[in-house]
Amino acid sequence: MGASVAYFLARRGIAVTVVERSGVACAASGKSGGFLALDWCDGTPLGPLARASFALHAELAKQLEVDYGYRRMDTFMLAARERGTLAGGHRVAAPRWLDGAGVVTSALGTNETTAQVTPARFTAALLDGARARGARLRIGIVEGVVQRDGAAVGVTVEGETLEGDAVVLAMGPWTSRAVGRLALPSVYGLKGYSVTLAGADVPAHALFVDYRTADGRALEPEIFPRPDGEVYVCGMADPAPLPDSPDAVEVSEVSCETLARAAGRVSTVLAGARVVRRQACYRPVTDDGLPLIGRVPGVGNAYVATGHGPWGILNAPATGLALAELISDGASASADLRSFDPARLPAAPVG
Ligand SMILES: Cc1cc2nc3c(=O)[nH]c(=O)nc-3n(C[C@H](O)[C@H](O)[C@H](O)COP(=O)(O)OP(=O)(O)OC[C@H]3O[C@@H](n4cnc5c(N)ncnc54)[C@H](O)[C@@H]3O)c2cc1C
């Protein structure tokens, strides 16, 4: 979110400093699936934002002039078991490479409605696009928002004040921790695991799997082959509490092995692939499942953009554009932000 807001502000000629504590895309925005869907948020307040973002992703892939793995995909739903096979065979026409114990139960999306990016490279491309227009990146820990006469005038970074005409809080699941007494709703972190596989040359087909482990657990692994030849597999929610820093996020080898095994059950090519990376990250979530995009209640010139849950990569472009408009023009012309107004939820207790 920070990279996207910075990019759209910089495109408007506004001088931006991005403060990042660890490294660009070190958390969910570097470790997520990067799956994009045009219409999967339809019927919810996120529907219009998601549709606008899906279109913006296609535009950005041309404008940024960097290959960050954007491509359209076909998307399928499967059922599979860690042990045994399901009766009945595929229920719709299934791609040939899905030759394992899984059953393809439906087609969920086509080249018109589903796509992907490689999130770490997408985030870096946005930030590089901002830097090419004068934005600066500062590695440091934001410790609080500096206020004067009821308005934000900067942030404290490791004891030093960094001044600005506006402050945007986009620290993902850590946002609540760094804001001190600001009246912001709670943002939590929901942990998930992922692995990347190498050595499997498979088509641009995204897979959502209804999976049962041998000991009876119901999981929903998601499998996204990427254009660089890697296959990304994620799933396995874990109630583990959010650590203070992204660098301290622990990876469970057992959970990662379960994910790799699930991929191997749907395709013999994936069963033979090598696990390259095992990782974990926390998606930022709010009490009502909708993001916080807009003004921080009670403080002038302070804004927030986070809490996008499972759709933060999809919705980053429209969020960044809308917030850049809100900051520079006083209102967003491209999106109706009322459903995402932080003032709709009670402020988190000061802890
Ligand atoms: C396993 C998994 C799979 C996912 N798959 C998808 C998907 O397929 N499609 C999709 O659209 N979304 C997906 N998501 C969701 C998406 O990744 C997130 O919603 C999104 O990345 C959140 O972005 P963010 O910028 O709010 O937070 P983050 O990516 O967490 O970024 C917050 C940044 O703030 C920094 N920071 C924290 N505290 C401080 C501080 N005090 N000072 C300075 N910097 C600080 C952190 O280091 C971090 O870089 C997935 C998430 C997970 C966990």
Side-chain angles (χ1 to χ4, degrees), residues 35-38 54 58 70-76 107-116 203-206:
F35 177 75
L36 316 173
L38 170 72
F54 192 81
Y70 174 83
R71 68 175 171 179
R72 298 294 181 106
M73 309 186 90
D74 290 318
T75 302
F76 297 93
L108 297 177
T110 67
N111 259 324
E112 297 296 307
T113 59
T114 52
Q116 70 178 158
H205 296 153

Side-chain angles (χ1 to χ4, degrees), residues 1-2 19-36 140-143 170-175 178 190-194 222 224 232 234-235 244 246 281-284 305-315:
M1 289 305 153
V19 186
E20 163 55 50
R21 71 172 290 156
S22 248
V24 174
C26 65
S29 299
K31 293 176 178 151
S32 88
F35 177 75
L36 316 173
I141 299 175
V142 171
E143 292 155 336
M171 292 170 286
W174 292 275
T175 303
L190 178 62
K191 189 173 187 182
Y193 294 97
S194 55
E222 301 172 7
F224 306 129
Y232 172 96
C234 72
D244 283 340
C281 62
Y282 288 77
R283 69 185 61 162
T306 193
H308 292 71
W311 289 118
I313 301 298
L314 168 64
N315 286 316

Side-chain angles (χ1 to χ4, degrees), residues 19 142-146 153-157 160-164 167 169:
V19 186
V142 171
E143 292 155 336
V145 175
V146 184
V153 293
V155 291
T156 319
V157 182
E160 182 195 326
T161 297
L162 193 64
E163 295 196 352
V167 169
L169 302 167

Side-chain angles (χ1 to χ4, degrees), residues 263-291:
R265 291 295 287 162
V266 305
S267 158
T268 50
V269 182
L270 297 185
R274 198 171 75 251
V275 178
V276 184
R277 267 178 289 137
R278 297 168 175 81
Q279 50 195 14
C281 62
Y282 288 77
R283 69 185 61 162
V285 292
T286 62
D287 278 317
D288 64 0
L290 294 175

